[in-house]
Amino acid sequence: MSQSSLILYSDANFFSPYVMSAFVALTEKGIPFELETVSLADAENLKETYSALSLTRRVPTLTNGTFVLSESSAIDEYVEELFPAPTFPAIYPADPENRAKAREVQAWLRSDLMPIRQERSTEVVFAGAKYPPLSATGQQAAEKLYAAAERLLGDKEHLFGEWSIADVDLALMLNRLRLNGDAMPEILAAYAEAQWQRPAVQEWLALSAK
């Protein structure tokens, strides 16, 4: 297998939190990969070329030679198994229970908290957009997020002691609110800001800023 055969397909604006997760996973591993863009605004993901490639017709999609995989958490797990520690840096906790919890966090953030995603798009995070105060439903979702994040984090720097890809995913959701100026527990705001300084995250932010 040639590492250089990896291609990650991204939205053209680099605003997708899911592409960001896969990008950070690959970057943290130190794996060479190519980055190709798909214009969602022009519905390129629904056109014949991309539809023939991606099962879901969404981003991210990762190709490794003839193997094609979509959905960011699946890509994260695939990359972890294909390029395992200690040869490559770990992106999931080594402890089986902590690893399962990291996957729980990832799955939860992708399937719940819809009011936050609707009222605080990633344009807040990547383009500096500002939105009106949260609706009552949005505030309830924010409080649910804060309670879970505080419970998971405790007084730790990272969710599971050492950094994992789940930290980036959680920080992204928190930053939808923090960067809009929404009230947030200080410990969570500091955590989200610190995660945003990670070099792999900064590489992504540089792409979205172009």
Side-chain angles (χ1 to χ4, degrees), residues 28-29 79-92 94 99:
E28 289 281 349
K29 285 285 184 184
V79 167
E80 178 78 325
E81 292 178 4
L82 198 62
F83 303 99
T87 304
F88 298 89
I91 62 169
Y92 282 96
R99 180 176 292 228

Side-chain angles (χ1 to χ4, degrees), residues 21 29 69 72-82 84 90-112 152 159-160 162-170:
S21 183
K29 285 285 184 184
L69 185 66
S72 58
S73 58
I75 291 170
D76 292 348
E77 293 183 32
Y78 172 68
V79 167
E80 178 78 325
E81 292 178 4
L82 198 62
I91 62 169
Y92 282 96
D95 176 78
E97 292 185 353
N98 283 341
R99 180 176 292 228
K101 291 297 290 185
R103 289 169 170 164
E104 176 190 42
V105 170
Q106 288 191 294
W108 175 56
L109 292 171
R110 286 159 172 74
S111 61
D112 199 359
L152 285 163
L159 291 174
F160 305 104
E162 298 294 329
W163 177 87
S164 75
I165 193 64
D167 285 295
V168 169
D169 291 345
L170 178 58

Side-chain angles (χ1 to χ4, degrees), residues 174-175 178 184-194:
L174 290 168
N175 275 327
R178 182 181 73 88
M184 175 179 295
E186 184 176 345
I187 189 172
L188 297 182
Y191 163 80
E193 182 176 10

